[in-house]
Amino acid sequence: ALQIIFWVSVFGVCFSGYLSYQELFASVPGGFTCPAPGAPGTVFGYPACVYGFFMYVIVAAVAGWGLMKSE
């Protein structure tokens, strides 16, 4: 079960990392803008995918640590 949790969280890190990059750093094609800080769809001024990224990183680290300790 710990391996499944680890690999699902690695996928989550990749997916939410990609979404976070697109929201924060990618250039937006003409007319399409990201929401301003504090706009609807943000949490404390950042998109929810940023918080998801950090949560998945924590879960992957804990699961990876558990896998290393179980060997």
Side-chain angles (χ1 to χ4, degrees):
L2 200 54
Q3 287 180 347
I4 293 170
I5 293 169
F6 176 74
W7 288 112
V8 167
S9 64
V10 167
F11 175 77
V13 166
C14 294
F15 185 67
S16 62
Y18 172 76
L19 291 177
S20 297
Y21 174 79
Q22 291 295 323
E23 286 288 326
L24 297 175
F25 302 114
S27 62
V28 180
F32 298 103
T33 58
C34 295
T42 62
V43 181
F44 298 117
Y46 292 103
C49 55
V50 173
Y51 297 103
F53 173 76
F54 288 110
M55 289 301 204
Y56 276 121
V57 167
I58 291 169
V59 171
V62 170
W65 181 68
L67 287 171
M68 287 192 307
K69 291 293 183 180
S70 67
E71 292 178 355

